[in-house]
């Protein structure tokens, strides 16, 4: 799935990996509202081959039928077409020197999608599968997610097809420095504020921030989020996406008058989002019985030992198979984590990791809730199957918004040169997630789709951005 190779010819391109691990063809099939269908066809025509972007756009378009009927002024002002066209797309060369002295070349991206609500905000992903279509799907989702947080942030995303796996610390640093040597001219605390995503954690943000500071001669803490606690970072940012996801699910459970107590939970991935989702689940009384990485998954029926998992993943940067070796848990290399029976499934690894076959397996095993910690981890067919079977489904743009919301809290602390306690920041995060949940619920009810969190999230996020765009004129 991912290449860990470091030996390459001098001056050659880093080979791009297959685009997406699970999607091989354009998944978009269903017809849309007659006003929306031609708009969507324009998206397909103008962005050929960008299947993940098509999928993300289609998912939002599917929710907008009642909006175009109720708010014709959006159609009149071509708001939907404008939202689908990024304000700016930057693609650049990232040359760097590996440990053997060879020059390597990667491609860097930053898509500044929409700044109607505030500076562009969204993470950087370093993964061999990254190409323009992935950056655009992520940036598009980010617009609506950021709107849902209620914070003054626009949407953007970036990254590179650089593969951090198997690289030395010095190689990572040289790559980050080269990446920032181009990116710095496009970002700023009032312009565009990147953060982490897959392959970009505290270490990479440190190298990126160091190079930004060096080039600009400015200690502009608000230019990046996800910083270390001693140099401008915020408490809870590391935990925020995973904790926020579980706070969202907790609201869903409360609405059903139940709780995490005694529930079996499966969390895919074992990166930043997955680890802290698992931590909060166990704090709230649930039992996480399985986790994964791109090599396979482990099953530990007694509950995952999170100290051991953190040691392997955060300290050693090792593989999940090492967990099985240390604990005597079951390790499965060829198979799907979604075959493990559970009441709550939290996909927290990557896009399109849960398709209709996985959904069928989850349904057969009695899953009650699926909530997306990753961005677009469920295919459209997977989502449809789950919802038709009555499974409560929380889309990523609502359920995983805690990370970016806490990034906005980090920006607030940087602007006021303040730093808040863990407890205060965590309480703010929880309130924000409760607010997003309430907004999704009430919007779904307002548009006659009670309990439909997908429609609620898409419509609430979209209308907020659309209203700001109308107010700002044709720009
Ligand atoms: P990390 O890089 O920390 O972790 C990613 C995890 O997913 C790793 O365990 C990785 O395994 C696994 N993974 C990646 N690709 C695949 C694959 N093709 N098949 C199976 N497993 C895979 O990333 P994050 O935890 O930060 O991000 C995870 C998801 O959450 C992404 O979709 C991201 O966009 C989304 N997200 C992240 C936020 C954040 O604050 N970090 C905020 C909102 C959303 P391996 O190590 O083997 O590659």
């Amino acid at each position: 799935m991912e290449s860990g190779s470091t030996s390459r010819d001098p001056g050659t391109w880093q080979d791009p990996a297959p685009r997406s691990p699970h999607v091989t063809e354009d998944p978009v099939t269903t017809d849309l509202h007659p006003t929306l269908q031609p708009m969507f066809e324009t998206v397909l025509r103008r962005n050929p081959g960008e299947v993940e972007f098509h999928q993300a756009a289609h998912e939002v378009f599917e929710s907008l039928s009642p909006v175009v009927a109720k708010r014709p002024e959006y159609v009149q002002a071509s708001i939907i077409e404008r939202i689908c066209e990024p304000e700016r797309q930057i693609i650049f060369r990232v040359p760097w020197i590996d440990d053997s002295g060879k020059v390597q070349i990667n491609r860097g991206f930053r898509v500044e999608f929409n700044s109607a609500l505030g500076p562009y905000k969204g993470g950087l992903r370093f993964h061999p599968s990254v190409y323009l279509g992935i950056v655009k799907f992520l940036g598009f989702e980010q617009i609506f997610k950021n709107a849902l947080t209620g914070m003054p942030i626009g949407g953007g995303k970036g990254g590179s097809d650089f593969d951090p796996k198997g690289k030395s610390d010095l190689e990572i640093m040289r790559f980050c420095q080269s990446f920032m040597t181009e990116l710095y001219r496009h970002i700023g605390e009032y312009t565009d504020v990147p953060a982490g995503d897959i392959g970009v954690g505290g270490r990479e943000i440190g190298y990126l921030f160091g190079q930004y500071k060096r080039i600009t001669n400015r200690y502009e803490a608000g230019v990046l989020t996800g910083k270390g606690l001693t140099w401008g970072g915020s408490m809870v940012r590391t935990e925020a996406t995973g904790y926020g996801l579980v706070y969202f699910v907790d609201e869903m459970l409360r609405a059903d008058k139940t709780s995490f107590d005694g529930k079996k939970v499966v969390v895919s991935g074992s990166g930043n989002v997955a680890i802290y989702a698992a931590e909060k689940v166990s704090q709230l009384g649930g039992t996480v019985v399985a986790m994964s990485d791109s090599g396979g998954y482990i099953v530990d029926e007694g509950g995952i030992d999170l100290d051991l998992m953190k040691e392997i993943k955060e300290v050693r940067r090792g593989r999940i198979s090492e967990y099985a070796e240390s604990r005597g848990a079951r390790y499965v290399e060829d198979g799907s984590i979604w075959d493990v029976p559970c009441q709550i499934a939290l996909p927290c690894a990557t896009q399109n990791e849960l398709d209709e076959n996985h959904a069928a397996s989850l349904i057969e095993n009695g899953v009650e809730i699926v909530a997306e910690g990753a961005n677009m981890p469920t295919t459209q067919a997977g989502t449809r199957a789950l919802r038709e079977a009555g499974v409560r489904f929380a889309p990523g743009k609502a359920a995983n918004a805690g990370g970016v919301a806490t990034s906005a809290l980090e920006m607030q602390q940087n602007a006021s040169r303040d730093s808040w306690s863990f407890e205060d920041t965590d309480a703010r995060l929880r309130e924000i997630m409760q607010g997003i949940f309430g907004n999704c619920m009430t919007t779904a009810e307002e548009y006659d789709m009670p309990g439909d969190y997908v429609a609620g999230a898409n419509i609430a996020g979209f209308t907020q951005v659309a209203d700001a765009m109308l107010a700002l004129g044709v720009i």
Side-chain angles (χ1 to χ4, degrees):
M1 221 167 277
E2 291 186 297
S3 86
S5 159
T6 51
S7 63
R8 293 184 169 88
D9 293 330
T12 52
W13 298 95
Q14 299 245 306
D15 290 340
R19 284 177 177 175
S20 187
H22 305 294
V23 175
T24 50
E25 56 191 48
D26 205 318
V28 176
T29 49
T30 57
D31 280 345
L32 295 162
H33 183 283
T35 306
L36 294 164
Q37 184 67 31
M39 296 179 193
F40 182 67
E41 280 162 15
T42 304
V43 171
L44 294 180
R45 201 173 55 249
R46 288 174 69 85
N47 306 280
E50 297 175 4
V51 290
E52 295 85 359
F53 177 44
H54 301 164
Q55 184 183 342
H58 194 270
E59 189 199 297
V60 172
F61 275 59
E62 271 188 325
S63 297
L64 293 184
S65 308
V67 181
V68 293
K70 208 168 169 173
R71 303 291 301 272
E73 66 274 28
Y74 293 157
V75 178
Q76 175 64 26
S78 300
I79 293 290
I80 298 168
E81 295 93 321
R82 274 197 270 160
I83 282 188
C84 291
E85 188 67 22
E87 290 175 16
R88 192 173 298 108
Q89 307 184 55
I90 302 143
I91 302 181
F92 51 99
R93 183 174 68 195
V94 190
W96 57 282
I97 298 173
D98 71 18
D99 285 346
S100 70
K102 288 175 186 161
V103 176
Q104 300 289 345
I105 299 147
N106 285 95
R107 188 170 286 176
F109 301 88
R110 187 72 185 166
V111 173
E112 298 180 334
F113 229 116
N114 193 295
S115 60
L117 295 177
Y120 312 104
K121 182 90 199 82
L124 298 171
R125 176 177 291 191
F126 292 169
H127 191 273
S129 64
V130 167
Y131 78 108
L132 190 58
I134 286 199
V135 181
K136 278 165 74 176
F137 116 65
L138 290 164
F140 186 74
E141 293 254 311
Q142 198 81 45
I143 303 170
F144 309 107
K145 178 190 311 195
N146 293 4
L148 284 171
T149 67
M151 323 285 274
I153 41 179
K157 200 83 189 189
S160 173
D161 56 2
F162 173 72
D163 185 358
K165 217 168 277 173
K167 303 292 188 295
S168 72
D169 204 52
L170 283 175
E171 288 178 321
I172 300 280
M173 183 177 75
R174 288 194 290 270
F175 176 81
C176 289
Q177 290 178 339
S178 180
F179 186 85
M180 184 53 84
T181 301
E182 173 58 35
L183 188 70
Y184 89 94
R185 70 191 83 239
H186 306 289
I187 62 175
E189 66 178 310
Y190 297 109
T191 315
D192 183 353
V193 184
D197 190 81
I198 290 180
V200 179
R203 171 181 61 167
E204 291 74 19
I205 293 291
Y207 294 146
L208 291 164
F209 183 66
Q211 183 73 349
Y212 181 86
K213 185 175 81 61
R214 181 190 195 192
I215 296 173
T216 60
N217 194 30
R218 281 163 62 87
Y219 204 105
E220 189 186 334
V223 71
L224 286 172
T225 59
K227 299 181 294 295
L229 292 176
T230 54
W231 43 278
S234 171
M235 288 285 188
V236 193
R237 178 59 191 91
T238 304
E239 296 84 355
T241 308
Y243 277 21
L245 168 69
V246 176
Y247 290 150
F248 191 97
V249 175
D250 198 38
E251 293 304 309
M252 294 168 80
L253 290 165
R254 281 164 194 258
D256 290 345
K257 304 210 174 343
T258 172
S259 75
F260 270 103
D261 246 348
K263 295 262 192 310
K264 273 192 185 183
V265 183
V266 167
V267 180
S268 66
S270 48
N272 173 262
V273 179
I275 284 179
Y276 292 95
E279 182 167 280
K280 186 52 73 179
V281 165
S282 48
Q283 285 173 9
L284 296 187
T287 305
V288 178
V289 293
M291 291 181 78
S292 62
D293 65 17
S294 56
Y297 68 91
I298 49 140
V299 183
D300 194 343
E301 288 291 346
I304 302 282
D305 176 343
L306 277 168
D307 290 337
L308 176 60
M309 185 63 79
K310 284 185 190 176
E311 216 277 312
I312 293 168
K313 285 292 172 181
E314 295 183 337
V315 182
R316 280 193 244 162
R317 294 179 189 274
R319 310 302 302 153
I320 210 161
S321 52
E322 295 167 36
Y323 179 97
E325 285 155 23
S326 302
R327 276 270 289 193
R330 186 157 64 92
Y331 177 61
V332 184
E333 210 166 45
D334 295 316
S336 162
I337 191 171
W338 308 120
D339 290 338
V340 179
C342 62
Q343 280 101 42
I344 299 175
L346 305 178
C348 295
T350 194
Q351 64 275 358
N352 292 320
E353 55 164 306
L354 197 169
D355 65 18
E356 70 266 42
N357 296 322
H358 303 134
S361 181
L362 283 167
I363 293 162
E364 200 181 310
N365 287 326
V367 75
E368 292 158 14
I369 289 180
V370 175
E372 298 184 322
N375 286 311
M376 209 169 72
T378 320
T379 63
Q380 284 188 301
T383 309
R384 209 169 298 127
L386 290 166
R387 291 171 66 191
E388 281 170 10
V391 176
R392 316 264 277 139
F393 183 84
K397 58 173 82 65
N400 73 28
V404 73
T406 309
S407 278
L409 299 180
E410 183 174 330
M411 290 161 73
Q412 280 183 25
Q413 292 168 77
N414 294 151
S416 58
R417 298 185 188 283
D418 198 0
S419 65
W420 308 339
S421 69
F422 191 96
E423 291 68 28
D424 286 349
T425 318
D426 190 34
R428 292 284 297 272
L429 169 64
R430 183 154 203 157
E431 256 171 49
I432 290 167
M433 296 314 297
Q434 286 168 337
I436 295 172
F437 176 80
N439 195 358
C440 292
M441 287 273 282
T442 47
T443 306
E445 276 161 20
E446 196 187 318
Y447 282 84
D448 294 326
M449 292 176 276
D452 185 339
Y453 301 112
V454 174
N458 284 333
I459 296 173
F462 173 83
T463 51
Q464 194 169 336
V465 179
D467 288 341
M469 288 175 74
L470 278 181
L472 298 183
V474 180
I475 52 170

